[in-house]
Amino acid sequence: RCVLPPLSKCRWSDIISTVEFNHTGELLATGDKGGRVVIFQREPESKNEPYSQGEYNVYSTFQSHEPEFDYLKSLEIEEKINKIKWLPQQNAAHSLLSTNDKTIKLWKITERDKRPEGYNLKDEEGKLKDLSTVTSLQVPVLKPMDLMVEVTPRRIFANGHTYHVNSISVNSDCETYMSADDLRINLWHLAITDRSFNIVDIKPANMEDLTEVITASEFHPHHCNLFVYSSSKGSLRLCDMRASALCDKHSKLFEEPEDPSNRSFFSEIISSVSDVKFSHSGRYMLTRDYLTVKVWDLNMETKPIETYQVHDYLRSKLCSLYENDCIFDKFECAWNGSDSVIMTGAYNNFFRMFDRNTKRDVTLEASRESSKPRAILKPRRVCVGGKRRKDDINVDSLDFTKKILHTAWHPTENIIAIAATNNLYIFQDKVNSEMH
Amino acid sequence: MLGRGLKRKLSDYEENMAGLSSAFDSSRSLPYPLRRQLVLNMCLTKLQTYKMLVEPNLHRSVLIANTVRQIQEEMRYETSQQPVNVCNGIAPNPHSYPGIDSSGISSHMPSGSNHPPTCLVPTGDEPELKGAECVFGSFEISNSTSYLKDLAIDDIFEDIDTSMYDSDFCSLMAARPPAAATEETLKTFPSCNSSSANNIQICRTDLSELDHIMEILVGS
């Protein structure tokens, strides 16, 4: 007898753990807790069906990481994909890096739509022919066949990390990338798997003195010598690799003094930076902490130039959110193609967008009900206290198990990808250049 | 589209409420020292739970340990300021909590006879942060099965005032409707909240662990 689980209770392994567009936006990759990578491809434009452009369909699925066991440490290593990063495309093939807690892998994705036929010594199945039947010499020819997408592992970068890898970032030189765990950042060459250079190490000599960990890290989009890493104390450190081989001393420290009026037991926890992203221009950095998103100017270290409240109504609920561990949720953030709008996730399958120019913000919901194909998303509102307008949702009825941690924005167009537990939502602007 | 003619069902509403409700929701009405103690208890419980994991989340553990440090620093400062009044200041007054069965509290209250109150007393130069710091010691050797050996559960509480634990847990339980009391109390321990994301590994050990913690906290 087959008992189907209720729809709402998805399999643990199906939960999406990362979303990433490639550099053209033609491909979109997701990773999940089961170690799988699913690649979606945007359908080419069709004149008959103007709407079909922009629809993403599954292009390829492969198992990137398997659960492993570290016999030396007696540790189980989860297969969960923590991050995916696409490499800039250099030939017909696409390449991406995927990582779990410990091991980074380089995958090559190639298409094949032709196959050679008519070998002299081999038959159709590839078996050797009986030589006595070979009477004439023939030239093999390429015959068209159904498109096949092949994914092959090209490199495996193992044994570089003692702690959990939280970020990977490909350098603008296209030859190196870095990987960051809780205490260290390593620099790798994409072609060399047996050695990496440690560029940041904040592990104290005595682990009892440990009060801060690295939470995210990224290379500057244009200057291959610059990178930033964020910390659990809410600071950002910009490092210049030209200064020294080991960038323990930052070049710039971006930090905002704590607001004494908002002090609580959880001040440090909610100030921990969960994600940091350079703007496409390279001038700004976007950070997400538990309650806010902030935009920092690389030229100003003392405070962010913009701070947006994501869900300030949770400030009075921090104790409960600490109790149920939600306060440790690592929300990511994203820029749109022109760096004018930022996006980040929230609870109850809500996500937020902030227009930096108009200062308008909107709360949208990724749900099956609201996401009929081509339906227009309706702004949602969370109310606090008694005043409640029609369609408002009360802060006490938010569902904290439905969280949008991972979002991605198409590099040039207004297309966004939202991972809501085991569902991937792709929303597209109805009219170009207008935000909905 | 959600919202048009679709009302959230009452049961959903309640379910969601349960997701976030806790004794600590009402903690804003509690006096500051008691609130602080509640948070400290939660921190210690979490640290204890994380140590059961083979490879605990370093990020979380650091954040929690820093919170413990901050609270302990604050308490140490207060005790050095007014060593005499602290006990009175922190001692819970049963009348100030509506809905609390005062008899339930008094039975556990350190009332003098066989429960000598171990009030906050300046402990001199003793390393008070030992509890929190030991946690990271375990990361160093987190692979070894004996990583708990130098961190008996008592160590964590050794330097921390435990006089409040009795009354805290009493108030936690008493502040709720009696029928739900047991379940709700379990929720206080993150390891028992099955909706929590990363507790799959914890659940195996949580019950005996919970008993153990309760034993220590209740002082039996």
Side-chain angles (χ1 to χ4, degrees), chain A residues 132-149:
Chain A
S132 61
T133 64
V134 180
T135 52
S136 62
L137 188 66
Q138 55 176 342
V139 179
V141 287
L142 287 173
K143 290 266 178 71
M145 63 171 212
D146 287 343
L147 180 71
M148 207 165 74
V149 180

Side-chain angles (χ1 to χ4, degrees), chain A residues 73 75 102 164 203 207 211 263 265 268 272 320 322-325 369 380 391 393 396-397 400, chain B residues 1 3 8 13 16-17 19-20 22 24-25 43 46 54-55 59 62 64 66 70 136 140 143 188:
Chain A
K73 296 182 172 175
L75 274 184
K102 306 279 180 188
H164 290 179
K203 184 174 181 288
M207 279 293 269
T211 60
R263 235 185 104 76
F265 300 118
E268 185 180 324
S272 174
S320 310
Y322 178 66
E323 189 191 2
N324 65 14
D325 279 347
E369 289 90 342
R380 302 299 312 265
D391 293 347
I393 180 164
D396 288 321
S397 42
F400 288 89
Chain B
M1 244 177 271
R8 192 173 280 273
Y13 183 79
N16 295 334
M17 282 295 284
L20 193 61
S22 75
F24 304 109
D25 255 352
C43 292
K46 281 185 192 294
V54 182
E55 198 179 26
H59 181 201
V62 165
I64 296 169
N66 285 353
Q70 178 204 330
F136 305 114
E140 294 283 81
N143 47 346
T188 320

Side-chain angles (χ1 to χ4, degrees), chain A residues 274-312:
Chain A
S274 51
D275 195 17
V276 58
K277 295 267 168 67
F278 276 107
S279 64
H280 295 85
S281 67
R283 168 77 186 267
Y284 305 104
M285 295 179 292
L286 180 64
T287 60
R288 173 68 207 263
D289 56 37
Y290 191 60
L291 295 178
T292 66
V293 269
K294 292 172 180 165
V295 179
W296 301 79
D297 188 329
L298 251 65
N299 299 323
M300 185 163 77
E301 296 163 68
T302 49
K303 60 175 194 288
I305 53 167
E306 292 154 32
T307 300
Y308 301 96
Q309 300 296 334
V310 178
H311 39 208
D312 201 48

